[in-house]
Amino acid sequence: MDGQNQINAQRLLAGVVPDEIFASYSKLLAEDGCPESDAASLLGSAEQVAELTARGMAHLRPDGPLLPPRLVPAPPELALQGVLSELSRRLVNDQERLLAGHKRLSDFHQTAASSSSSGMERLVQIVTDRDEISRLSYALINAARHDWLTLDNYVLEAPVEDTTGYAPLPVFEGQVQCRAIYEIRCAEHPIGAKTIEAAVAAGEQARLLPRIGMKMKLADEAVALLPLTPTGMGGALLVRSPVIVGALREYFELLWEKAIPFGSTKAAGPLTPAQAQVLQLLTQGLSDEAIARRMDISVNTMRRHWTAIRDELGVETRFAAGAAAVRRGWID
């Protein structure tokens, strides 16, 4: 086949199919097919042959009663059509499984809610066995698909040593956002600081607070693990109640806004003195013009300060800006 087919293949298929499949297709395209008996050798394995034929990117063509059949590539545009058909079929199957899974989970929660004490035990479970607490902790890490949130007050059963092991961060196709809030004394301990640094290097966002009341581990908005003892190893609560888990998530977010980024000496996103003054006057209910007069600046300058404040806090209204600034400790 001419070079135009290779160009078309690159345009149409690269990035749509896995790289190894595209490489096998390109080899077959360059050779304009090969005898069936040589296909596995040319493409690297029989699995690669099966992958191409399953996607409609290649097919066996008989060359007559006396010649062995050949594995020939489909033209790039037809290969793409076959790939899209296969992807659509898989998506339909995955969607059906997803819907079935959601229905089962919904049915499970409805059953749990309607079965008095046994249902409550499923929503909030007390665990006292140390091995089970450890197992659940690791299981939660692997269950996270979007968010992995932790609080650590550095209350431990034994002194920290260089050999102390720590659970790895969750990994789910790079889509899990890991955030942790540590008590400051953790970062002040040499080994604690190394532990946080390693977690940050692995992708964690870490912040610090002077004091954290308890440990917590939370996966998505689905399940949380809370301590019943200072270290959490003597007893723990496994919480699946959507209401409680949602409240714990809100609690974490409130602490996150107040916390200082690891490695920083001041709160995240500090305002300039002029912006801080504008914010203080805004919370007093003054108009743009009144603030500009009080600060001896133009109204346009005042509004530029307000835009910067709004962007920094991620809010739209003056009331929301005041509330967010209070939570972060920027104003009283």
Side-chain angles (χ1 to χ4, degrees):
M1 290 197 179
D2 59 29
Q4 187 60 45
N5 271 337
Q6 290 287 358
I7 294 173
N8 290 340
Q10 181 70 31
R11 285 180 55 196
L12 295 172
L13 294 165
V16 177
V17 296
D19 291 344
E20 63 274 13
I21 301 301
F22 178 72
S24 295
Y25 175 76
S26 296
K27 286 181 183 178
L28 193 63
L29 197 62
E31 296 293 331
D32 195 18
C34 66
E36 179 185 15
S37 57
D38 298 337
S41 176
L42 174 66
L43 302 183
S45 69
E47 288 76 15
Q48 291 293 88
V49 176
E51 290 284 357
L52 290 181
T53 54
R55 286 174 167 82
M57 299 173 69
H59 60 273
L60 289 174
R61 183 185 69 195
D63 277 354
L66 300 179
L67 296 175
R70 290 175 60 81
L71 182 71
V72 296
E77 65 276 12
L78 294 182
L80 178 58
Q81 183 175 330
V83 167
L84 294 178
S85 296
E86 173 66 10
L87 285 174
S88 296
R89 184 186 64 78
R90 292 184 183 182
L91 286 173
V92 169
N93 289 339
D94 288 344
Q95 180 70 10
E96 290 176 351
R97 287 194 290 269
L98 178 65
L99 293 174
H102 276 301
K103 184 178 184 304
R104 292 180 187 181
L105 186 60
S106 176
D107 291 345
F108 174 84
H109 285 311
Q110 289 177 8
T111 301
S114 63
S115 58
S116 62
S117 61
S118 63
M120 291 302 101
E121 289 173 0
R122 292 189 185 97
L123 294 178
V124 181
Q125 178 183 352
I126 297 176
V127 185
T128 57
D129 181 78
R130 289 172 176 267
D131 291 338
E132 179 66 6
I133 292 171
S134 179
R135 186 192 69 79
L136 286 172
S137 179
Y138 279 89
L140 278 184
I141 294 173
N142 294 321
R145 289 298 178 265
H146 304 291
D147 293 290
W148 174 246
L149 312 178
T150 59
L151 300 177
D152 194 342
N153 58 8
Y154 215 51
V155 176
L156 306 170
E157 291 191 322
V160 180
E161 300 176 352
D162 284 319
T163 56
T164 302
Y166 293 90
L169 297 180
V171 176
F172 182 69
E173 300 176 358
Q175 297 177 4
V176 178
Q177 183 184 48
C178 303
R179 290 187 289 159
I181 304 175
Y182 299 90
E183 197 159 300
I184 284 178
R185 60 177 171 170
C186 179
E188 293 173 344
H189 191 288
I191 298 177
K194 288 182 182 179
T195 302
I196 301 175
E197 288 170 0
V200 170
E204 179 181 87
Q205 300 177 51
R207 292 190 178 185
L208 306 175
L209 279 176
R211 186 178 182 280
I212 298 175
M214 65 176 184
K215 298 177 183 288
M216 182 179 76
K217 298 178 181 180
L218 194 151
D220 302 328
E221 292 190 0
V223 60
L225 191 65
L226 302 174
L228 290 176
T229 62
T231 65
M233 294 307 298
L237 281 180
L238 183 67
V239 182
R240 298 187 182 91
S241 165
V243 173
I244 299 176
V245 174
L248 291 171
R249 174 67 183 264
E250 289 297 322
Y251 173 63
F252 180 92
E253 297 297 348
L254 290 173
L255 294 181
W256 182 259
E257 288 192 0
K258 291 183 178 180
I260 300 171
F262 176 69
S264 174
T265 58
K266 53 186 176 180
L271 303 180
T272 66
Q275 290 167 358
Q277 187 177 357
V278 167
L279 179 59
Q280 193 76 47
L281 294 172
L282 282 171
T283 60
Q284 296 175 17
L286 297 182
S287 67
D288 293 358
E289 292 76 11
I291 293 173
R293 286 195 301 271
R294 181 80 65 89
M295 295 181 63
D296 195 21
I297 59 176
S298 70
V299 174
N300 285 339
T301 298
M302 178 272 158
R303 287 173 178 166
R304 283 197 296 271
H305 286 321
W306 162 236
T307 299
I309 294 167
R310 185 180 60 198
D311 292 343
E312 187 68 43
L313 291 170
V315 298
E316 294 296 330
T317 67
R318 296 183 179 196
F319 178 81
V326 169
R327 288 197 301 269
R328 297 190 185 197
W330 293 358
I331 60 174
D332 297 329

